[in-house]
Amino acid sequence: MNEGKHPALVVEHVKKTYASGKEALKEVSLVIPEGDFFAFLGPNGAGKTTIIGIVTGIVDKSAGTVRVFGYDIDREPEKAKACIGVVPQEINFNIFETPLDIIVNQAGYYGISRKEAIPRAESLLRSLGIFDKKDQESRALSGGMKRRLMIARALIHKPRLLILDEPTAGVDVDLRRSMWDFLRSLTEKEGITILLTTHYLEEAEQLCKHVAIIHQGSIIESGSMKDILGKINTDSFLITLRSQVTPEIVEALAAYRAKKIDEKTIEIETDDGRGLNDAILLLNGRGFPIGDIRNKSGRLEEVFVRLTGK
Amino acid sequence: MNAKKLWISFMTIVRKDVLRIFKIWPQTFLPSVVTSVLYFLVFGTVLGEQIGDVDGFSYLQFVVPGLVMLAVVTNSFSDVATVFFVSKFFSRNIDEILVSPTPPSVIIAGFVGGGIVRGVLVGALVLLVSAFFVPISFAYPSVVLLFLVLSSLVFSLAGLVNGIYAKSFDGISIVPTFVLTPLVYLGGVFFSIEALPGFWRDLAAANPIFYLINGFRYGLLGLSDVPIATSIAVLVGLAAALIAANWYFIRTGLGLRQ
Ligand SMILES: Nc1ncnc2c1ncn2[C@@H]1O[C@H](COP(=O)(O)OP(=O)(O)OP(=O)(O)O)[C@@H](O)[C@H]1O
Ligand SMILES: [Mg+2]
């Protein structure tokens, strides 16, 4: 083992062009330190699943190198793969098998005996709340249960790096929160490094220490969540007026990058609290009484929208 | 992975297939048994009497080795081809193995292991069924066993190549119907190639199944058109070539990785 000496994942100058000619990754490099909770963000088709496929050995890269805890995936694929657990975006177990069989067989592929795997699988199924389904054909599981089954399957060999491709897609709010708690406890209590992709920016904001934003096969932004949020050192506010928004007032607020949102709402951006105060004074001075002011939430979403234009 | 882990992974793949084979026995064991019974009824009671003996054995006795091999070849081939194709094309659960540290050699061994189990079991069943219709002798029991295993091995490997390559369900049903069955029929199930004119005899000699049927017939009846060593050499060579091909395909991800 090479505990602590290497980052969990190093991706260097990785490119991918599919057989169809589609250039899915232009040139991607990134480092995920051990113990990190890392998010990949990016619109549909950005290349997130492609990177995960390359790291986990089911997609061939066209160029570049990948190391998992220091093990090069081309030179020491077995060692690299033994460190990774993956929850794919699409369901990829045989729905006619039972959850217990699926997990215990997966353990087998990692060289873990049935004797050892069965109690471990049962305990994972229990902590993910699907223990009572363990002996039914898994096609009888709901969508959310199938996702949890794949999380249990990914953890059976105690991976040091857990990769989840949209684990909470199509999962209800309650379950999503409990998945968050579960994932948090994995990093905090067991020191597992987690890489996830999600389209719920709030999720990344809540969970992750670092993010990379991928757009059209390139990483266009990456860093700590704090830094990324700090990129947008302005705050946005939605101001609802008691009267109609006129073009003139939007013009007068140009310094605040004002935008008309609807009949009575303007969005403005300010660098600090004083800016907001000045804007309010300006509005009042021009005879526009204010009904309501809200700080626009979802700042990560804002960065995302700005960067990707989506 | 150390030897113990490799063994566990291998056994996981084999065990999964063997459980499946037993679970769906009406699709795996029954068809060959039914077909063989039909052959015995037709040849035994209707035609057999009229054909007369071949090299001192009744025609039915002469046909048994070929019928067993027909079952072995088609079962081991389609077992591996189907299992592999389904796991790659439908549920995509081949990825469960591809993301694991199980190396290509063990993936091949595991899938082929399942095919061998099915081939040998079905072969044994057909042999057992034929015992109800004709007296079965075992001239060289070890040769019988060797050819059951060798032919299951070769055709499981061939099935794996097919499963890796196939892009649709047709791709795995074409070969058994249009390639394997004709090869078996032309490989001397129903006749000794001694009876063929020169050109056809040479053609038959290029058919791998010809060696397989002759080797097996030698094990049962002590009778063969070619030396037994030649048959063994042909099958071992074929197995080696197919192992190399499969290893190359899985190693390079052909038809598996995008
Ligand atoms: N097997 C494939 N063959 C050809 N092109 C592919 C293949 N898989 C993905 N692509 C293309 O590569 C690009 C990146 O796809 P990828 O699945 O990595 O995106 P993603 O970021 O995961 O998107 P999503 O958020 O929708 O899951 C897309 O344009 C997609 O159409
Ligand atoms: Mg994706």
Side-chain angles (χ1 to χ4, degrees), chain A residues 42-50 52 89-90 165-166 197 199:
Chain A
N44 289 129
K48 305 178 295 292
T49 302
T50 302
I52 291 176
Q89 180 171 4
E90 310 283 346
D165 200 350
E166 297 190 31
T197 75
H199 286 289

Side-chain angles (χ1 to χ4, degrees), chain A residues 204 213 221 303:
Chain A
I213 300 180
E221 190 64 72
V303 183

Side-chain angles (χ1 to χ4, degrees), chain A residues 241-256:
Chain A
L241 305 177
R242 289 191 196 284
S243 56
Q244 301 279 324
V245 176
T246 64
E248 291 74 33
I249 193 66
V250 173
E251 181 65 39
L253 290 168
Y256 304 94

Side-chain angles (χ1 to χ4, degrees), chain B residues 54-240:
Chain B
V54 184
D55 293 320
F57 290 95
S58 79
Y59 185 62
L60 216 48
Q61 276 179 302
F62 180 81
V63 167
V64 167
L67 292 182
V68 174
M69 280 298 124
L70 175 64
V72 170
V73 165
T74 48
N75 274 279
S76 52
F77 185 94
S78 56
D79 190 72
V80 180
T82 312
V83 169
F84 198 85
F85 179 74
V86 167
S87 72
K88 148 189 128 173
F89 203 75
F90 288 99
S91 50
R92 193 62 216 177
N93 63 339
I94 188 69
D95 285 352
E96 292 180 326
I97 305 179
L98 294 183
V99 302
S100 82
T102 298
S105 51
V106 173
I107 300 179
I108 296 169
F111 278 95
V112 167
I116 292 178
V117 171
R118 174 152 160 204
V120 170
L121 285 180
V122 174
L125 262 179
V126 172
L127 204 53
L128 191 73
V129 167
S130 44
F132 288 97
F133 297 89
V134 283
I136 299 293
S137 62
F138 288 93
Y140 305 100
S142 54
V143 174
V144 170
L145 193 65
L146 176 71
F147 272 80
L148 271 182
V149 175
L150 258 184
S151 42
S152 301
L153 168 69
V154 167
F155 285 89
S156 296
L157 285 164
L160 186 56
V161 171
N162 193 199
I164 292 175
Y165 252 109
K167 305 252 180 311
S168 68
F169 238 119
D170 288 343
I172 51 167
S173 56
I174 282 174
V175 179
T177 316
F178 294 103
V179 182
L180 288 186
T181 312
L183 282 180
V184 174
Y185 281 72
L186 300 174
V189 182
F190 299 113
F191 49 84
S192 160
I193 65 157
E194 293 296 313
L196 291 175
F199 168 75
W200 294 101
R201 198 185 303 171
D202 294 343
L203 195 69
N207 176 357
I209 294 181
F210 162 74
Y211 295 94
L212 196 150
I213 292 176
N214 268 282
F216 194 60
R217 188 175 282 145
Y218 180 76
L220 286 178
L221 308 178
L223 199 70
S224 178
D225 288 343
V226 284
I228 181 73
T230 311
S231 291
I232 294 176
V234 167
L235 287 180
V236 169
L238 212 54

Side-chain angles (χ1 to χ4, degrees), chain A residues 278-295:
Chain A
D278 291 349
I280 293 168
L281 288 176
L282 190 147
L283 282 165
N284 278 329
R286 302 239 175 161
F288 286 90
I290 292 168
D292 182 34
I293 299 178
R294 275 180 298 134
N295 192 330

Side-chain angles (χ1 to χ4, degrees), chain A residues 35-300:
Chain A
D36 203 354
F37 203 137
F38 196 102
F40 271 172
L41 305 174
N44 289 129
K48 305 178 295 292
T49 302
T50 302
I51 299 181
I52 291 176
I54 289 171
V55 171
T56 54
I58 54 178
V59 174
D60 278 330
K61 54 188 161 48
S62 311
T65 53
V66 175
R67 287 190 302 279
V68 181
F69 292 102
Y71 300 120
D72 186 296
I73 60 162
D74 299 316
R75 275 181 287 150
E76 297 180 284
E78 294 178 22
K79 284 183 176 153
K81 286 173 175 181
C83 299
I84 305 176
V86 60
V87 180
Q89 180 171 4
E90 310 283 346
I91 285 156
N92 72 341
F93 50 78
N94 182 340
I95 53 168
F96 298 103
E97 290 169 18
T98 69
L100 191 66
D101 282 343
I102 289 168
I103 300 176
V104 172
N105 283 337
Q106 189 67 32
Y109 305 143
Y110 289 84
I112 302 165
S113 70
R114 297 178 59 77
K115 207 172 121 229
E116 200 179 329
I118 291 171
R120 215 191 270 181
E122 288 180 340
S123 128
L124 278 168
L125 287 168
R126 209 172 270 121
S127 41
L128 283 153
I130 45 173
F131 182 77
D132 55 329
K133 306 279 181 194
K134 74 182 166 81
D135 295 321
Q136 296 178 7
E137 281 190 358
S138 20
R139 63 184 161 155
L141 300 182
S142 75
M145 292 172 186
K146 287 184 180 131
R147 294 240 156 246
R148 281 179 280 165
L149 167 56
M150 294 202 294
I151 295 180
R153 184 184 65 180
L155 288 169
I156 188 68
H157 61 291
K158 302 191 176 154
R160 294 161 71 192
L161 170 63
L162 177 64
I163 300 179
L164 307 107
D165 200 350
E166 297 190 31
T168 55
V171 164
D172 73 31
V173 179
D174 277 353
L175 184 53
R176 183 172 308 159
R177 303 228 165 237
S178 72
M179 272 197 199
W180 290 359
D181 291 338
F182 183 77
L183 295 179
R184 257 194 218 109
S185 76
L186 288 179
T187 39
E188 284 163 14
K189 295 207 193 88
E190 300 178 38
I192 296 178
T193 310
I194 297 185
L195 163 62
L196 64 73
T197 75
T198 177
H199 286 289
Y200 301 106
L201 302 176
E202 185 206 351
E203 178 165 289
E205 217 171 327
Q206 287 274 331
L207 288 173
C208 298
K209 286 192 237 167
H210 291 96
V211 263
I213 300 180
I214 302 166
H215 186 45
Q216 295 176 348
S218 302
I219 294 187
I220 52 173
E221 190 64 72
S222 74
S224 72
M225 184 63 76
K226 217 173 110 228
D227 289 348
I228 298 261
L229 292 176
K231 290 255 166 186
I232 182 161
N233 48 15
T234 54
D235 245 339
S236 293
F237 295 93
L238 293 170
I239 302 178
T240 311
L241 305 177
R242 289 191 196 284
S243 56
Q244 301 279 324
V245 176
T246 64
E248 291 74 33
I249 193 66
V250 173
E251 181 65 39
L253 290 168
Y256 304 94
R257 272 180 269 173
K259 273 188 297 201
K260 180 175 166 179
I261 301 298
D262 62 35
E263 289 301 292
K264 292 192 171 178
T265 313
I266 315 180
E267 183 185 328
I268 62 161
E269 287 175 14
T270 65
D271 297 341
D272 52 32
R274 247 186 57 210
L276 176 64
N277 207 33
D278 291 349
I280 293 168
L281 288 176
L282 190 147
L283 282 165
N284 278 329
R286 302 239 175 161
F288 286 90
I290 292 168
D292 182 34
I293 299 178
R294 275 180 298 134
N295 192 330
K296 196 175 162 192
S297 58
R299 294 164 67 204
L300 184 58

